[in-house]
Amino acid sequence: VQLFQDVMADKVSLPSLPDVALRIQKVFSSPDVSGQKIAEILMTDPAITGKLIKVANSPVYQGLSSTKTLQSAIVRLGMDTTFKQVMAYAVNELFKSSSQLAAERMKQLWAHSRRVAAISRLMAKNSGLFDPEQAMLAGLIHDLGVIVIVQYMQKSFPDCSDAEKIDKTINTMRPQVTSLLLRNWHFSDDVVTVAEHCENWFRNEQEQPDLCDLVMVAQYHSYMGVMDTSMLPPVSMMPAMSKLNMDVGDSIQLIKDSAREIREIERLLQ
């Protein structure tokens, strides 16, 4: 209740994007965006520079020869993919905590987020209906508000070790807090919708599938074989599955056949 009241009163402290991500976001919102400008900003952060070169040389994106410079990595990835990779890297920095209890929860959340991101990218590429990079980023940040909630409870209730109470708060407030955070970071409406409705399993607001449908299906598949899904509706009953024209058997087989690609995407996001 206290968290809800503080959210309504704008008293919850929201984390900021790292400076380099904010600068890149600003450049991309301008009409004269260029690879040179992007490279000049990214060169101020050696960690991100190394990350992008590593991504460009990965099996997911690699070309005929190895890439050794930031400029050639940007050319290979393209500016849009470069932007989304920078945002993914920035999000990774938020999954840190000095509390051992919170750190373990963050670790589990980050592993789940990377898994959903990887499956979202795979399904987007396979369907041809969505930009795989946008799907990956949406899958990665769909639960980002959990970080804010855990940090808030850690600060407001430092003696609280009731995992059930923390889980209940997360389940109740996650969509609203994630939406607030992503809007504060100026993410697009389709990504915010993912955060707000990705666990609304019977969501069926329109005939055509949207990004939320895709990430929802990816999230459901990420649970299969990992946790008990008996409390969830059968995946075949989800409107998103029919809108995406997906057969359950085919989607499960796709994930099995693409296990190596999924692991590689998860590794790149780590």
Side-chain angles (χ1 to χ4, degrees):
V1 175
Q2 185 63 48
L3 174 57
F4 178 79
Q5 292 174 345
D6 286 350
V7 167
M8 290 295 96
D10 198 23
K11 292 181 180 179
V12 175
S13 177
L14 298 175
S16 300
L17 279 172
D19 179 64
V20 67
L22 283 172
R23 291 166 66 196
I24 286 292
Q25 196 175 58
K26 185 175 180 180
V27 167
F28 264 84
S29 65
S30 68
D32 57 343
V33 58
S34 69
Q36 181 61 34
K37 283 189 176 181
I38 293 170
E40 288 173 0
I41 294 173
L42 294 179
M43 281 179 183
T44 65
D45 192 315
I48 288 183
T49 296
K51 169 76 172 179
L52 288 172
I53 293 173
K54 179 182 177 182
V55 169
N57 287 319
S58 72
V60 179
Y61 300 99
Q62 70 181 9
L64 297 176
S65 59
S66 177
T67 291
K68 294 184 174 64
T69 67
L70 175 60
Q71 288 86 344
S72 58
I74 292 173
V75 170
R76 174 171 293 175
L77 295 173
M79 289 196 294
D80 192 53
T81 296
T82 297
F83 171 72
K84 291 182 174 67
Q85 286 291 337
V86 170
M87 299 307 288
Y89 179 88
V91 167
N92 190 5
E93 294 302 297
L94 299 179
F95 284 80
K96 308 281 174 65
S97 176
S98 57
S99 161
Q100 186 173 353
L101 181 65
E104 182 59 33
R105 187 177 287 270
M106 296 292 194
K107 181 180 177 181
Q108 294 171 358
L109 175 64
W110 188 229
H112 168 68
S113 298
R114 295 198 323 271
R115 178 75 175 174
V116 175
I119 296 175
S120 295
R121 187 184 189 280
L122 173 69
M123 289 184 165
K125 185 177 71 172
N126 186 69
S127 71
L129 298 174
F130 304 94
D131 172 18
E133 305 304 321
Q134 180 79 340
M136 182 187 74
L137 184 59
L140 189 69
I141 63 181
H142 75 282
D143 270 346
L144 212 54
V146 175
I147 297 173
V148 179
I149 295 170
V150 170
Q151 290 175 343
Y152 172 90
M153 296 195 71
Q154 191 179 355
K155 181 179 178 180
S156 302
F157 310 100
D159 298 326
C160 179
S161 59
D162 187 344
E164 186 175 340
K165 182 178 180 180
I166 295 173
D167 287 340
K168 185 177 180 179
T169 303
I170 288 172
N171 292 336
T172 303
M173 295 298 299
R174 181 205 60 77
Q176 187 173 4
V177 175
T178 306
S179 172
L180 190 66
L181 178 60
L182 296 185
R183 290 191 187 282
N184 193 53
W185 285 358
H186 307 293
F187 274 93
S188 58
D189 289 342
D190 60 341
V191 174
V192 174
T193 297
V194 170
E196 292 174 339
H197 298 287
C198 65
E199 292 183 2
N200 182 6
W201 306 112
F202 292 108
R203 174 180 178 268
N204 191 20
E205 297 182 359
Q206 58 213 24
E207 290 184 13
Q208 297 301 316
D210 61 8
L211 190 61
C212 185
D213 291 319
L214 181 85
V215 176
M216 188 191 308
V217 169
Q219 176 161 237
Y220 194 110
H221 282 72
S222 76
Y223 292 148
M224 292 180 175
V226 176
M227 59 170 276
D228 181 13
T229 58
S230 62
M231 299 300 290
L232 302 179
V235 64
S236 59
M237 292 180 62
M238 292 168 53
M241 284 291 288
S242 58
K243 285 198 287 182
L244 289 164
N245 197 26
M246 283 189 180
D247 174 81
V248 179
D250 290 344
S251 60
I252 292 174
Q253 190 60 48
L254 173 66
I255 291 174
K256 287 181 178 179
D257 293 342
S258 307
R260 181 178 295 180
E261 180 179 347
I262 290 173
R263 285 196 302 270
E264 178 61 21
I265 296 169
E266 289 179 283
R267 185 183 69 82
L268 288 176
L269 291 172
Q270 188 159 4

